[in-house]
């Protein structure tokens, strides 16, 4: 499990990889939050392209980051969601809380 | 239908074992030649059940998590995840989507995920004695691709 953080033009992108469960969520949360609370980005993008597994602990992780970003009126976007993980994200109704982008996202299009 | 094969595994309720538990069940179920999607569904449901033992049943302690898995020739898979933890006082309430007793970042979706990713979910529990979660799914039987 890993997190790679990229800060560019006020947008913080967290590139997640590996398996997201209760065990790995704590470290991911700490990594993202320590940087996010320092730079207070306008947008936090969670990039799921390299995530192989996620259960409801990952849903809690996403919901928690949405709450954090709301403190300074920022927002969360979920990008590059693999179809397997998309199912649990839609079951959780996360599209009500943040922007959900499926499949491949070409960043230059934004 | 007769049981084709069966395995049991037990381990202490440390969070590092969540990945082990779903991988162990997936490796065993592989004998039935499941699709990638079927395997993903089972892994996710097992992960939910095992995480609940670790997070809720043995909240401030370490106890033993028991898994038993049976596979049948018609493609049926039954996974039982059991703990001797605190138990659930009101199962119906616990199974409501978004219901959670944990502080921190829990979505309250574990049972909803187990229900939607498996064919059947059966929960029994006794407060102070423990909880048992039975997950069932029948895999699609496909013609063998090789002799
Ligand atoms: N094995 C268990 N032992 C004791 N209580 C349990 C057990 N499994 C579930 N519960 C209770 O049922 C509630 C709902 O469980 P569920 O898995 O649906 O949500 P959660 O674990 O709270 O959140 P999430 O799974 O989304 O992280 C839990 O909050 C807990 O109170
Ligand atoms: Mg749970």
């Amino acid at each position: 499990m890993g997190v790679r953080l990229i800060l560019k033009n006020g947008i913080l992108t967290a590139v997640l990889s590996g398996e997201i469960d209760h065990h790995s969520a704590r470290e991911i949360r700490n990594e993202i939050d320590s940087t996010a609370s320092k730079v207070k980005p306008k947008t936090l993008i969670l990039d799921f392209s390299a995530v192989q597994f996620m259960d409801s602990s990952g849903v809690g992780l996403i919901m928690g980051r949405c709450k954090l970003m709301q403190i300074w009126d920022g927002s969360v976007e979920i990008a590059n969601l693999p179809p397997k993980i998309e199912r649990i994200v839609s079951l959780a109704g996360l599209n009500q809380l943040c922007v959900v982008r499926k499949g491949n996202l070409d960043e230059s299009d934004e | 239908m007769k049981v084709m094969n069966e395995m049991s595994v037990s381990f202490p309720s440390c969070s590092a074992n969540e990945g082990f538990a779903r991988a162990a069940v997936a490796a065993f179920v592989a004998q039935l030649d499941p699709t990638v999607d079927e395997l993903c569904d089972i892994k996710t449901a097992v992960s939910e059940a095992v995480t609940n033992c670790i997070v809720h049943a043995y909240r401030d302690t370490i106890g033993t998590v028991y898994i038993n898995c049976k596979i049948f020739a018609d493609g049926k898979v039954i996974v039982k995840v059991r703990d001797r933890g605190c138990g659930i006082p009101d199962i119906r309430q616990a199974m409501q989507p978004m219901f959670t007793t944990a502080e921190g970042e829990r979505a309250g979706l574990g049972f909803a995920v187990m229900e939607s990713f498996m064919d059947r979910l059966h929960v029994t529990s006794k407060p102070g004695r423990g909880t048992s979660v039975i997950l069932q799914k029948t895999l699609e039987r496909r013609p063998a691709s090789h002799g």
Side-chain angles (χ1 to χ4, degrees):
Chain A
M1 182 67 234
V3 197
R4 198 158 46 86
L5 293 168
I6 304 157
L7 182 63
K8 204 171 131 192
N9 305 328
I11 296 174
L12 182 64
T13 302
V15 183
L16 311 172
S17 59
E19 310 206 328
I20 304 181
D21 60 9
H22 159 252
H23 180 67
S24 64
R26 194 174 43 138
E27 200 181 310
I28 302 170
R29 177 187 312 129
N30 291 345
E31 291 265 326
I32 295 175
D33 288 9
S34 63
T35 300
S37 8
K38 253 183 267 158
V39 303
K40 298 191 170 46
K42 268 195 358 239
T43 307
L44 170 66
I45 299 178
L46 302 173
D47 184 334
F48 279 82
S49 51
V51 175
Q52 265 118 40
F53 174 88
M54 186 179 102
D55 63 17
S56 68
S57 299
V59 174
L61 179 80
I62 297 170
M63 288 177 11
R65 306 296 65 65
C66 291
K67 231 188 236 167
L68 176 77
M69 292 293 292
Q70 272 165 16
I71 298 175
W72 52 84
D73 268 337
S75 61
V76 173
E77 283 181 24
I78 304 175
N80 297 327
L81 210 54
K84 278 187 288 182
I85 299 173
E86 204 262 316
R87 229 177 112 201
I88 196 161
V89 164
S90 61
L91 186 89
L94 284 176
N95 56 330
Q96 313 253 315
L97 264 182
C98 51
V99 178
V100 180
R101 295 185 204 283
K102 300 168 201 174
N104 276 337
L105 167 93
D106 183 356
E107 281 170 52
S108 59
D109 281 355
E110 287 181 279
Chain B
M1 174 129 336
K2 239 183 73 194
V3 176
M4 187 175 115
N5 202 353
E6 178 174 3
M7 74 92 168
S8 293
V9 59
S10 61
F11 47 84
S13 59
C14 347
S15 63
N17 283 328
E18 290 159 6
F20 163 73
R22 59 180 181 262
V25 172
F28 182 71
V29 168
Q31 294 172 33
L32 286 176
D33 194 22
T35 64
V36 174
D37 283 351
E38 287 169 337
L39 213 50
C40 174
D41 290 353
I42 293 171
K43 279 173 80 171
T44 309
V46 168
S47 194
E48 297 294 352
V50 169
T51 301
N52 280 351
C53 301
I54 293 168
V55 173
H56 305 296
Y58 302 119
R59 170 172 270 201
D60 298 311
T61 55
I62 293 289
T64 307
V65 180
Y66 305 86
I67 297 182
N68 172 270
C69 181
K70 292 186 177 78
I71 55 175
F72 299 80
D74 65 351
K76 188 162 75 184
V77 179
I78 299 179
V79 187
K80 187 169 165 183
V81 179
R82 193 167 58 84
D83 65 68
R84 293 180 191 278
C86 65
I88 303 174
D90 184 342
I91 295 175
R92 243 230 295 235
Q93 180 189 45
M95 289 175 77
Q96 296 286 324
M98 322 277 258
F99 177 86
T100 180
T101 53
E103 66 258 21
E105 294 179 345
R106 309 237 66 89
L109 281 176
F111 281 130
V113 167
M114 291 183 243
E115 217 157 23
S116 115
F117 284 32
M118 301 296 282
D119 297 339
R120 281 181 67 184
L121 164 66
H122 185 71
V123 184
T124 51
S125 189
K126 273 212 181 84
R129 297 283 299 278
T131 301
S132 162
V133 170
I134 298 171
L135 303 159
Q136 188 183 311
K137 190 181 188 73
T138 302
L139 309 183
E140 193 130 343
R141 300 321 288 149
R142 292 160 298 143
S145 50
H146 43 82

